[in-house]
Amino acid sequence: MNLNEASQENLKFLLEQLSERLGVANRALFDDEDYDLERYDHLKFLYDHVVQTGKLSPQETAAFVDELRSVRKDS
C-alpha cells in the first residue's frame, strides 16, 4: 500500500489508523465517506504527525479531533 497516493482505500486506512492511535470513542468521526479525497494530503499530514509523535496528550488529541472535524465534508 502506497499511502502517498490519494485513493478511497488509503483514506479509509488513514482514518482507521488515526482512530486507533488517538483512542477516540466516537468512531463516527472516522467514516471515510465523510471526507473528500481532495483533502487527502491534509489527512496524510495529520496521520504522519501522529505516527511520528507516538502517544499524544489529551490536549493534543482534542486538537487533532477538532482539526479532523474541520476537514470533513459536512463542516
Side-chain angles (χ1 to χ4, degrees):
M1 175 178 288
N2 181 0
L3 294 179
N4 292 320
E5 294 178 18
S7 71
Q8 198 64 33
E9 179 184 3
N10 288 347
L11 178 63
K12 185 175 183 172
F13 176 81
L14 290 182
L15 291 168
E16 287 172 355
Q17 291 297 305
L18 283 170
S19 173
E20 288 179 24
R21 290 176 184 266
L22 296 175
V24 176
N26 183 4
R27 300 288 176 140
L29 178 62
F30 298 92
D31 184 354
D32 63 299
E33 293 183 13
D34 292 336
Y35 294 88
D36 194 338
L37 277 178
E38 291 178 11
R39 302 299 305 265
Y40 180 84
D41 289 337
H42 189 76
L43 290 165
K44 174 73 166 64
F45 173 80
L46 293 174
Y47 168 81
D48 288 340
H49 182 74
V50 170
V51 169
Q52 289 175 352
T53 304
K55 182 109 172 111
L56 300 178
S57 71
Q59 295 84 2
E60 290 171 318
T61 299
F64 265 83
V65 169
D66 287 343
E67 186 65 22
L68 283 172
R69 285 189 182 114
S70 75
V71 177
R72 289 178 65 160
K73 286 181 186 177
D74 57 342
S75 58

